Amino acid sequence: MSPRTRQNDLFPPRVLSGVQPSGALHLGNFFGAIKQHIALQHEYPGESFYFIANYHALTTIHDADGLLKQSWSVALDYLALGLEPNKATFYRQSDVPQVCELMWILACVTGKGILDRGHAYKDKIEKGLTPSVGLFLYPELMAADILAVRSTIVPVGKDQEQHLEMARDIANSFNHVFQTDVFPTPVAKLNEAAIVPGIDGQKMSKSYENTISIFAEDDELEAKVMHIKTSSTALGAPLNPSGDTVFTLYSLVSTSDQRDEMRERYQSGDIGYQQAKIELLANLKTYFSPFKERRRALEEDLDQVEDILRDGARRARQEAVETVEMVREVIGLDRYQRGYK
Ligand code: ADP
Ligand code: TRP
């Protein structure tokens, strides 16, 4: 079928999301995003695409060893946390360079005003990052990631909502300018998980240095948990579980019975913060221990991880080449040379 006559309803549901390799993954990332990614691979087997956004990371990381190390670390984290390569396509963004070509083509039909309105760009500049062209084009590259594999569902946090709106605008603009239906209109699937608090009670985030890493060693984990900020309440006085960081984190890694019991102990003054932290630490260790074991095993078999990433890239590239071929035809560029794939 000619790309000019493709209809939106011809796009099967396809999930895609990217994760930047910009530091150790923390409990906020896990409960706010990764858990949902892992669940979606079962809901959309064969139609879930997850990638390590290393091109995006270049907007902030200019250290080759660091970028490589962090990219490997995210790959191990995701596989250890349950990403199944036979259900989801998992790859490095840089193994699908077609996204860069597509980004340029899309940039030529994107009004600059769309990017000028980007909150994330403005925030990053305010925080002192150099205003590079790459940083400005960050949302354009995201749109290319999404549209290269013609994905329709993009699970992201609220902070990425505007980037998704831009991707929709960009897809629609391309379809409109070239009077085509090559691209679907992707929708954001916002995480329903509540914001996970960090050890200082603010939103857990790398930028606030208040994180608890999923794969922290036991002594680091203990130090972090014991440093969680709490209110100063006399021992034996009731504690309010609502909005309490220790209780909130405990709830995430405990059974519902354990959570209910802990709530009662809080309210009756039967537990102090010190003891609550000890119990939180124990449950954190139990919750993540199988993942840690799996990660250690994967670390011993990096060839297997590399094979998974290459297989994923092959699959994603196949989709991206197909997209770019259609796009080239629509806009009047030559087709790829035979054998390009
Ligand atoms: P950070 O704020 O540490 O830089 P990222 O922006 O890289 O984290 O987060 C990637 C995704 O993880 C976000 O889009 C969001 O969905 C999720 N996430 C991060 N921190 C939290 C949090 N504290 N609570 C819930 N979800 C979070
Ligand atoms: N910007 C996203 C984040 O920081 C990562 C990302 C890159 C992404 N490309 C994407 C997310 C495409 C969804 C779709 O969380």
Side-chain angles (χ1 to χ4, degrees), residues 110-111 113-115 117-119 139-140 142-143 146-147 154 156-174 184-190:
T110 305
I114 292 182
L115 297 182
R117 287 190 285 276
H119 308 311
E140 195 81 51
M142 253 182 91
I146 296 165
L147 299 175
V154 187
V156 282
K158 192 134 183 56
D159 58 320
Q160 298 296 314
E161 204 175 1
Q162 193 192 31
H163 286 157
L164 256 292
E165 278 162 21
M166 293 176 176
R168 291 163 67 84
D169 283 352
I170 291 170
N172 290 337
S173 166
F174 182 92
T185 311
V187 292
K189 182 171 168 53
L190 292 184

Side-chain angles (χ1 to χ4, degrees), residues 19-20 22 26-33 156-160 191 193-198 203-207 211:
V19 56
Q20 282 205 67
S22 49
H26 53 72
L27 297 185
N29 297 139
F30 180 72
F31 291 104
V156 282
K158 192 134 183 56
D159 58 320
Q160 298 296 314
N191 299 323
I195 298 289
V196 178
K203 175 190 174 220
M204 187 177 288
S205 169
K206 283 182 297 274
S207 9
T211 60

Side-chain angles (χ1 to χ4, degrees), residues 80-309:
L81 291 169
L83 186 133
E84 293 178 29
N86 59 351
K87 295 223 163 65
T89 301
F90 187 42
Y91 56 100
R92 278 178 290 242
Q93 187 183 28
S94 57
D95 286 343
V96 186
Q98 288 75 15
V99 295
C100 291
E101 175 174 358
L102 186 58
M103 178 186 75
W104 173 253
I105 295 169
L106 295 173
C108 294
V109 293
T110 305
K112 181 170 167 288
I114 292 182
L115 297 182
D116 280 336
R117 287 190 285 276
H119 308 311
Y121 177 76
K122 286 185 212 155
D123 289 352
K124 286 174 182 167
I125 301 307
E126 262 168 38
K127 283 194 186 128
L129 277 184
T130 309
S132 68
V133 175
L135 197 61
F136 186 67
L137 283 176
Y138 186 111
E140 195 81 51
L141 183 58
M142 253 182 91
D145 295 326
I146 296 165
L147 299 175
V149 305
R150 284 157 278 137
S151 54
T152 56
I153 304 166
V154 187
V156 282
K158 192 134 183 56
D159 58 320
Q160 298 296 314
E161 204 175 1
Q162 193 192 31
H163 286 157
L164 256 292
E165 278 162 21
M166 293 176 176
R168 291 163 67 84
D169 283 352
I170 291 170
N172 290 337
S173 166
F174 182 92
N175 285 348
H176 177 74
V177 169
F178 291 101
Q179 287 299 295
T180 176
D181 265 330
V182 168
F183 292 125
T185 311
V187 292
K189 182 171 168 53
L190 292 184
N191 299 323
E192 279 150 27
I195 298 289
V196 178
I199 60 170
D200 58 357
Q202 292 189 79
K203 175 190 174 220
M204 187 177 288
S205 169
K206 283 182 297 274
S207 9
Y208 303 144
E209 294 184 9
N210 63 357
T211 60
I212 299 180
S213 301
I214 301 169
F215 293 104
E217 296 296 334
D218 284 356
D219 48 353
E220 185 194 327
L221 204 58
E222 182 171 344
K224 287 289 177 76
V225 169
M226 292 305 166
H227 277 97
I228 294 175
K229 202 167 140 194
T230 52
S231 59
S232 47
T233 314
L235 203 60
L239 304 175
N240 183 2
S242 147
D244 178 84
T245 305
V246 178
F247 182 77
T248 306
L249 296 179
Y250 183 83
S251 303
L252 291 170
V253 291
S254 306
T255 63
S256 51
D257 284 351
Q258 286 178 322
R259 186 194 55 215
D260 292 346
E261 197 189 322
M262 181 61 89
R263 184 184 291 112
E264 274 171 31
R265 289 165 75 199
Y266 256 65
Q267 288 167 338
S268 63
D270 198 26
I271 192 166
Y273 280 121
Q274 177 76 5
Q275 182 59 27
K277 286 178 178 177
I278 290 170
E279 292 180 30
L280 163 62
L281 180 64
N283 283 15
L284 266 174
K285 285 184 185 168
T286 311
Y287 190 96
F288 287 108
S289 135
F291 302 130
K292 280 188 181 163
E293 256 169 57
R294 212 177 311 158
R295 195 180 192 284
R296 270 193 288 269
L298 285 164
E299 247 172 324
E300 295 300 312
D301 194 359
L302 294 182
D303 286 348
Q304 186 203 345
V305 177
E306 180 64 31
D307 285 348
I308 291 170
L309 292 172

